[in-house]
Amino acid sequence: MRRSEELALARRALRGRDLVVFSNDWDGDPLSKVHIMRILSRDNRVLWVNSIGNRAPKANAHDVKRIWKKLASFTEGIREVEPNLFVLAPLAIPFYGSEVVRAANRELLRAQVLRAMRKLHFKRPISWSFLPASAQVSGRLGEEFVVYHCVDEFSAFSDTNGRHIAELEEKLLRRADLVITSADRLRDNKVRVNPNTVLVRHGVDFNHFVKACEPSTPIPEDIAKLPKPIFGFFGLVADWVDLEAIAATARAHREGSVVVIGKVAPDVDPAVLKAEPNIHLLGRKPYSELPGYCRAFDVALMPFKVNELTLNANPLKVREYLAAGLPVVSSDIPEVRKVGLCKLARDTEDFVRKVDECLAEGAGPTRERAERIRHESWEAKVEEIRAFVGEAMVRAGRGL
């Protein structure tokens, strides 16, 4: 086959196909997976399988509530949440415990997914996994092609059984026809197991976040009257977030306010934040309202602890802050360094210094800053993904 014919075939990839996607719960915050699959669902059908877990549940209020929510979702069957996008909430305990329990769960999950595929009349499916836990069923659903889309070093999460997750991931890596990664370090790690590993960095919902630069975008009431300058963070407040850097920023600017938007993870003690009177924990907010909050920010904060997890991370919020036209201060991690539009801090003292530099250079959203990230749209990233999948299918002799 000539190269021109291969390229023509590749361009037809991921159009008119049936995709079975293993990912986080659909109703959570719109992460990279949601953005990608929303675009692919324009000309493919997507069966989105809600999270089957990377860790065993704990006997705490958070996990009990989550279990009840999953049970309620299971009774709803398959939901069409958007055109061509169907959500299945499987009834499955994460793959831990005895081998008997794991085997039972494997077959239970596989049976539920196969039943949903039959109900939707899926043919020649492509399975697309964002989670190592799907290794138990990926490749056992009659798929024509298997994609592992790796956006984190899952074995480095503190609340997981790292060894077990690493074993599951290795199975998935060996089974996948194509591995897509979101960071250089992830690609370098995964290509050792699967040579068909490529890099596609995150995109950004530019048209959504650039609204922060528009005077007509309303600023929510709970931030509108806070003393300026306002230093803002949004996202999950998890154990990889450097709370001391946030607190130090608040202490250095008693005249201003630090705003934290997002849930606090059950295993995180926010006492260091609550101790500062000018830190405001506003909780999780709808995605639709984030541009309004960004419009109120003077400087956006991306404080991460530097460890194996974050060294492999490509924080989506950095591109979202930039699309909102904000100056950004971030911990010095590889993927943020590669973006090249943020001030990078080596430690807590340096973090505060970089915040001060942003204030001196002109704070608040500007359209000029936002335009620098416009080219990194999710649409552009999905076109990269289509090309990689198409080329891999051509190489493997699979039909398009």
Side-chain angles (χ1 to χ4, degrees):
M1 186 182 293
R2 293 194 305 271
R3 180 60 178 165
S4 60
E5 292 174 327
E6 290 181 356
L7 290 172
L9 280 171
R11 289 190 193 102
R12 294 205 300 271
L14 297 181
R15 287 182 169 87
R17 300 302 303 252
D18 293 330
L19 312 181
V20 181
V21 178
F22 297 93
S23 189
N24 306 82
D25 290 354
W26 174 260
D27 295 328
D29 293 324
L31 304 173
S32 57
K33 304 99 168 170
V34 170
H35 293 294
I36 290 167
M37 288 303 154
R38 272 191 169 136
I39 294 171
L40 288 177
S41 69
R42 294 172 189 168
D43 44 15
N44 299 276
R45 293 193 303 162
V46 175
L47 173 62
W48 178 287
V49 183
N50 272 353
S51 174
I52 49 181
N54 282 323
R55 64 174 179 82
K58 299 175 182 177
N60 58 36
H62 175 268
D63 282 7
V64 169
K65 183 179 178 181
R66 191 162 183 263
I67 289 168
W68 277 111
K69 185 178 178 182
K70 281 189 171 292
L71 287 170
S73 297
F74 172 71
T75 63
E76 296 175 358
I78 305 168
R79 296 180 292 141
E80 186 171 9
V81 292
E82 294 179 8
N84 284 340
L85 214 159
F86 305 86
V87 172
L88 171 69
L91 192 61
I93 301 169
F95 300 112
Y96 297 91
S98 71
E99 177 54 37
V100 173
V101 172
R102 289 198 295 270
N105 276 296
R106 273 197 302 270
E107 296 313 311
L108 176 61
L109 177 64
R110 181 170 178 266
Q112 291 173 88
V113 174
L114 286 172
R115 181 173 178 271
M117 289 166 59
R118 285 194 297 270
K119 191 171 181 179
L120 295 170
H121 305 290
F122 268 30
K123 293 181 174 62
R124 300 169 57 222
I126 295 173
S127 76
W128 199 299
S129 179
F130 290 98
L131 298 174
S134 74
Q136 303 288 6
V137 293
S138 292
R140 299 180 60 229
L141 300 169
E143 305 98 314
E144 187 173 78
F145 197 78
V146 176
V147 176
Y148 174 36
H149 200 141
C150 178
V151 299
D152 279 303
E153 189 57 76
F154 291 99
S155 62
F157 280 96
S158 61
D159 61 349
T160 64
N161 181 328
R163 182 184 61 80
H164 185 60
I165 292 299
E167 290 171 358
L168 287 172
E169 185 181 60
E170 182 165 353
K171 288 180 183 177
L172 187 54
L173 283 165
R174 295 187 183 283
R175 191 168 293 153
D177 297 293
L178 178 69
V179 178
I180 302 170
T181 58
S182 60
D184 267 331
R185 193 177 173 106
L186 285 174
R187 178 188 56 188
D188 293 345
N189 289 337
K190 308 314 171 191
V191 76
R192 295 169 187 159
V193 180
N194 189 326
N196 296 319
T197 297
V198 298
L199 171 67
V200 181
R201 290 192 169 90
H202 289 330
V204 67
D205 189 353
F206 180 84
N207 290 331
H208 181 61
F209 282 93
V210 78
K211 294 173 187 173
C213 301
E214 299 170 3
S216 59
T217 298
I219 296 176
E221 290 183 7
D222 55 356
I223 194 173
K225 295 180 181 179
L226 293 180
K228 301 276 272 179
I230 295 176
F231 310 97
F233 169 93
F234 62 69
L236 178 66
V237 183
D239 63 356
W240 57 81
V241 176
D242 186 348
L243 302 187
E244 183 52 42
I246 296 176
T249 301
R251 289 192 292 268
H253 289 277
R254 298 289 187 192
E255 80 286 3
S257 309
V258 174
V259 170
V260 177
I261 296 168
K263 292 193 306 183
V264 177
D267 57 346
V268 171
D269 182 0
V272 67
L273 302 181
K274 292 182 176 179
E276 304 302 329
N278 60 334
I279 293 182
H280 305 270
L281 301 173
L282 301 186
R284 183 184 174 194
K285 301 296 179 182
Y287 181 72
S288 60
E289 294 180 11
L290 291 181
Y293 283 98
C294 287
R295 189 176 162 224
F297 291 179
D298 290 290
V299 180
L301 310 179
M302 219 299 294
F304 275 12
K305 299 172 184 175
V306 179
N307 54 33
E308 188 61 22
L309 180 65
T310 60
L311 288 172
N312 284 278
N314 191 339
L316 181 54
K317 66 172 60 62
V318 167
R319 285 173 169 80
E320 292 171 342
Y321 289 156
L322 291 169
L326 289 164
V328 180
V329 179
S330 172
S331 302
D332 188 1
I333 60 175
E335 289 301 320
V336 180
R337 198 182 308 143
K338 288 181 172 70
V339 174
L341 299 172
C342 307
K343 289 188 180 292
L344 302 177
R346 299 182 303 276
D347 51 38
T348 301
E349 289 183 5
D350 194 31
F351 197 93
V352 174
R353 278 196 298 271
K354 294 298 195 301
V355 167
D356 291 341
E357 288 176 17
C358 285
L359 287 177
E361 293 170 8
T366 70
R367 187 77 189 215
E368 180 185 2
R369 264 194 293 260
E371 290 296 330
R372 296 173 188 166
I373 201 77
R374 175 190 281 275
H375 64 285
E376 297 207 27
S377 68
W378 281 116
E379 283 78 7
K381 298 301 178 180
V382 169
E383 285 309 302
E384 286 184 49
I385 289 168
R386 286 188 202 272
F388 280 127
V389 171
E391 289 168 8
M393 293 182 83
V394 168
R395 283 197 306 271
R398 310 291 168 81
L400 291 173

